[in-house]
Amino acid sequence: MAFDNLTEKLQNVFKNLRSKGRLTEDDVKAALKEVKMALLEADVNFKVVKNFVKTVQERAVGQDVLNSLTPGQMVIKLVNEELVHLMGSETTEIALKPSNEISVILMCGLQGAGKTTTTAKIAGKLKKKGRNPLLVACDIYRPAAIEQLQINGEKQGVEVFSMGINHKPVDIAKAAIEHAAKNKNNVVILDTAGRLHVDEDMMEELQEIKSNVEIDQSILVVDAMTGQDAVNVASTFNEKIGIDGVILTKLDGDTRGGAALSIKAVTGRPILYIGMGEKLSDLEQFYPDRMASRILG
Ligand code: GDP
């Protein structure tokens, strides 16, 4: 599970803090230095870590923590609050239009990040909320991806729209929206093609869809196991096409957790959901406060 090492390290720091009745400024500094090391080892972005420690330190001084009755506890509380803040404080929902209108969601990401799986997972969630989603196969480069979407859509009891591999993704998207209007689907989820690396063709294709189709939410899927690469990918997609939120997959296999802690701070875009396994039910809403509690153990 994610954060195992980080949790263990932080718990050691905190145990030390709690064991001391009074704290000197040096005690706090030393503890925060250890927190810093632990976060860096967890592959959290360097700038994010620097700011984090600086903020906790300033708040500790500002709130006169050293003269409080339980200084150790106060420092731990500050670390907790700043972790929550780092991850965006609030839970962010996918923003959809009212049910009597069609919302269009663009799913994007690199190949292998878990985009097609996550698209089907999201459809299941929306269906449970009473929506009638339509999944759209816009990956025209990998027939296997179309088939995978069809299989997963069937498992979720959600219709899949496909035009094979001989049409442009933007035209498939337009046709899908027309289809949705006739068939009373109120959410259209476009599963676009990924590449192994960020490349211009992929970005141009996404830009073309965004310029010709009214997209309500652009959601990027990134693999937590790739750590800071996931954060860099998120920054690039946000700069090139603009994203509204991120879904972080494979958090079940990521033992460090750096991406979860860095994405919001680096890109300004919130994590919406986290993928916790390969099953179509393994998608959880992202709660910054619960994640912070999980990290602190
Ligand atoms: P795509 O190329 O981005 O569409 O990726 P896929 O949806 O095909 O997923 C790639 C692999 O990652 C598949 O084997 C999925 O089962 C797996 N996968 C996706 N999400 C998760 C997750 O949250 N946890 C785990 N452990 N595996 C995942």
Side-chain angles (χ1 to χ4, degrees):
M1 175 52 212
F3 308 120
D4 281 353
N5 284 335
L6 180 58
T7 302
E8 198 185 318
K9 294 227 165 74
L10 291 178
Q11 279 184 344
N12 279 338
V13 181
F14 294 162
K15 207 165 99 195
N16 220 342
L17 278 178
R18 277 201 206 95
S19 69
K20 294 184 181 168
R22 300 200 65 82
L23 291 181
T24 65
E25 206 172 319
D26 281 349
D27 289 332
V28 175
K29 267 197 186 141
L32 288 179
K33 201 170 166 198
E34 281 181 55
V35 169
K36 183 175 171 180
M37 293 305 294
L39 289 171
L40 286 174
E41 271 173 44
D43 199 24
V44 182
N45 175 280
F46 178 71
K47 275 193 202 149
V48 171
V49 174
K50 239 176 103 177
N51 278 336
F52 179 87
V53 172
K54 193 166 154 246
T55 308
V56 175
Q57 177 101 35
E58 280 170 6
R59 287 191 62 192
V61 174
Q63 294 179 13
D64 210 2
V65 159
L66 297 181
N67 292 323
S68 69
L69 284 177
T70 50
Q73 210 53 46
M74 291 285 283
V75 174
I76 297 165
K77 187 166 165 274
L78 289 178
V79 169
N80 181 34
E81 283 174 11
E82 286 306 318
L83 280 178
V84 176
H85 179 70
L86 203 58
M87 291 183 284
S89 299
E90 302 283 315
T91 295
T92 312
E93 297 277 353
I94 297 177
L96 297 177
K97 287 179 179 152
S99 299
N100 58 354
E101 293 175 53
I102 299 174
S103 305
V104 183
I105 303 176
L106 176 87
M107 302 292 291
C108 55
L110 295 185
Q111 199 171 308
K115 185 169 31 60
T116 302
T117 312
T118 305
T119 300
K121 287 178 175 178
I122 287 287
K125 290 251 182 253
L126 293 174
K127 195 181 162 197
K128 277 214 183 92
K129 286 186 182 169
R131 297 272 175 163
N132 184 14
L134 178 69
L135 294 177
V136 185
C138 287
D139 185 348
I140 55 170
Y141 309 100
R142 289 190 312 143
I146 302 180
E147 200 182 321
Q148 191 194 344
L149 193 66
Q150 270 156 346
I151 291 168
N152 285 340
E154 206 165 295
K155 278 190 198 159
Q156 299 288 55
V158 170
E159 193 189 343
V160 176
F161 182 92
S162 158
M163 287 168 66
I165 55 170
N166 294 321
H167 295 267
K168 280 170 68 176
V170 61
D171 295 330
I172 298 174
K174 283 182 189 164
I177 293 166
E178 277 175 30
H179 178 93
K182 285 192 205 117
N183 289 274
K184 305 241 178 311
N185 299 107
N186 49 15
V187 186
V188 170
I189 312 178
L190 308 175
D191 183 29
T192 64
R195 305 277 197 281
L196 287 176
H197 305 283
V198 170
D199 85 11
E200 276 309 312
D201 287 347
M202 171 174 59
M203 291 302 176
E204 272 169 27
E205 188 172 296
L206 293 170
Q207 274 155 358
E208 191 181 6
I209 297 176
K210 282 198 86 164
S211 337
N212 289 283
V213 175
E214 195 192 311
I215 302 289
D216 295 288
Q217 292 273 285
S218 300
I219 299 176
L220 175 71
V221 178
V222 290
D223 175 348
M225 297 215 283
T226 63
Q228 287 313 295
D229 273 348
V231 182
N232 294 335
V233 166
S235 294
T236 309
F237 270 79
N238 193 35
E239 279 158 27
K240 298 259 179 184
I241 64 155
I243 55 173
D244 298 295
V246 175
I247 295 179
L248 194 57
T249 61
K250 310 186 197 179
L251 209 61
D252 51 309
D254 170 36
T255 51
R256 296 200 290 172
L261 282 166
S262 313
I263 280 182
K264 173 67 170 50
V266 173
T267 67
R269 295 293 178 260
I271 296 174
L272 305 168
Y273 284 93
I274 47 179
M276 297 299 291
E278 293 193 84
K279 289 203 304 288
L280 293 180
S281 53
D282 295 333
L283 188 74
E284 294 178 12
Q285 184 111 43
F286 184 69
Y287 298 100
D289 52 349
R290 286 188 205 172
M291 190 56 82
S293 305
R294 212 184 256 191
I295 293 168
L296 295 182

